[in-house]
Amino acid sequence: ETGVTQTPRHLVMGMTNKKSLKCEQHLGHNAMYWYKQSAKKPLELMFVYSLEERVENNSVPSRFSPECPNSSHLFLHLHTLQPEDSALYLCASSQQLAGDMYEQYFGPGTRLTVT
Amino acid sequence: LAKTTQPISMDSYEGQEVNITCSHNNIATNDYITWYQQFPSQGPRFIIQGYKTKVTNEVASLFIPADRKSSTLSLPRVSLSDTAVYYCLVQGLGTDKLIFGTGTRLQVFP
């Protein structure tokens, strides 16, 4: 496997379900990100794990819970979602160097549908 | 946080040069500009990145004027496969400054 992988690629869940999205990066990077992309809207940064520190967008509801057990793996735990949470969830990684520019490498995304 | 403004859509024909301009009037001193390309149902892909003047790689060129309040992505001789959404992103050195705009949908016709 190369780059950034995400599983599952598609997920349909009910509002009372609990599910998790998984992301794995094979690039040796030290930062990982979760983005949400709704139809016809810009990418919205949800969470960042950088150098073992978590940064989050305060507008993200608590029904989304991230977990980063190590620098290569990132999870997004989902519970009691709403239909408006249906979107493409993208994971990305980057190599953070102090005072330097960086680029993000994105995975293919998980298409989530909440029914 | 620096907000970006881009045209919503652009049309072009194969073989033409395409220039997409992004406005970022309140860019900060330490911010830099990054462009990404996204195809439907895929994650964005890095194209080019720069701080000032001109940057060129095998895919595109990025022009940034002295005041850095705008930037232009230049795609030479586009092909049908360049049909995608192009995002301009102004990034700070910290990870909390990652705001994507609405992007520019480029349609290339034969």
Side-chain angles (χ1 to χ4, degrees):
Chain A
E1 289 278 16
T2 59
V4 179
T5 57
Q6 291 185 241
T7 53
R9 293 294 309 277
H10 300 272
L11 178 63
V12 179
M13 60 186 288
M15 289 190 284
T16 59
N17 292 158
K18 289 185 179 181
K19 296 286 185 183
S20 296
L21 309 185
K22 179 183 176 182
C23 175
E24 185 172 359
Q25 60 98 358
H26 310 269
L27 300 167
H29 289 165
N30 60 8
M32 297 188 77
Y33 313 76
W34 278 118
Y35 284 89
K36 175 185 178 183
Q37 188 172 35
S38 303
K40 299 182 179 179
K41 289 186 178 180
L43 283 86
E44 176 189 355
L45 180 64
M46 300 176 73
F47 302 102
V48 181
Y49 281 87
S50 175
L51 303 172
E52 301 183 10
E53 186 180 276
R54 180 171 123 183
V55 176
E56 58 191 89
N57 182 338
N58 291 328
S59 67
V60 176
S62 59
R63 55 186 182 268
F64 294 92
S65 174
E67 179 189 0
C68 190
N70 55 60
S71 61
S72 299
H73 295 86
L74 183 66
F75 296 89
L76 186 63
H77 303 301
L78 317 171
H79 65 96
T80 59
L81 295 192
Q82 303 298 311
E84 61 263 28
D85 296 322
S86 298
L88 181 68
Y89 288 85
L90 291 159
C91 172
S93 71
S94 69
Q95 182 62 19
Q96 301 290 94
L97 298 173
D100 203 359
M101 301 191 292
Y102 63 91
E103 62 189 79
Q104 297 173 79
Y105 292 77
F106 285 82
T110 295
R111 174 70 61 186
L112 173 67
T113 303
V114 181
T115 60
Chain B
L1 297 172
K3 181 181 176 181
T4 62
T5 303
Q6 305 173 231
I8 293 174
S9 64
M10 295 181 69
D11 292 336
S12 183
Y13 292 93
E14 283 191 290
Q16 290 189 332
E17 178 184 78
V18 172
N19 296 307
I20 306 174
T21 297
C22 178
S23 296
H24 28 80
N25 290 321
N26 57 339
I27 189 169
T29 302
N30 292 327
D31 290 346
Y32 54 96
I33 298 116
T34 308
W35 285 80
Y36 287 87
Q37 175 193 56
Q38 186 178 26
F39 298 110
S41 297
Q42 293 186 26
R45 183 175 73 100
F46 172 85
I47 301 174
I48 198 166
Q49 186 176 74
Y51 182 79
K52 62 180 179 181
T53 63
K54 178 183 175 182
V55 179
T56 297
N57 61 23
E58 64 278 6
V59 176
S61 293
L62 178 60
F63 299 91
I64 306 169
D67 66 6
R68 303 200 327 121
K69 293 184 183 299
S70 66
S71 58
T72 299
L73 173 72
S74 181
L75 304 172
R77 297 179 299 281
V78 294
S79 64
L80 295 176
S81 63
D82 293 317
T83 294
V85 178
Y86 292 82
Y87 292 97
C88 164
L89 175 66
V90 173
Q91 291 180 239
L93 295 176
T95 52
D96 58 337
K97 297 184 73 174
L98 290 167
I99 300 179
F100 282 80
T102 53
T104 298
R105 185 173 300 277
L106 173 65
Q107 179 68 54
V108 179
F109 295 95

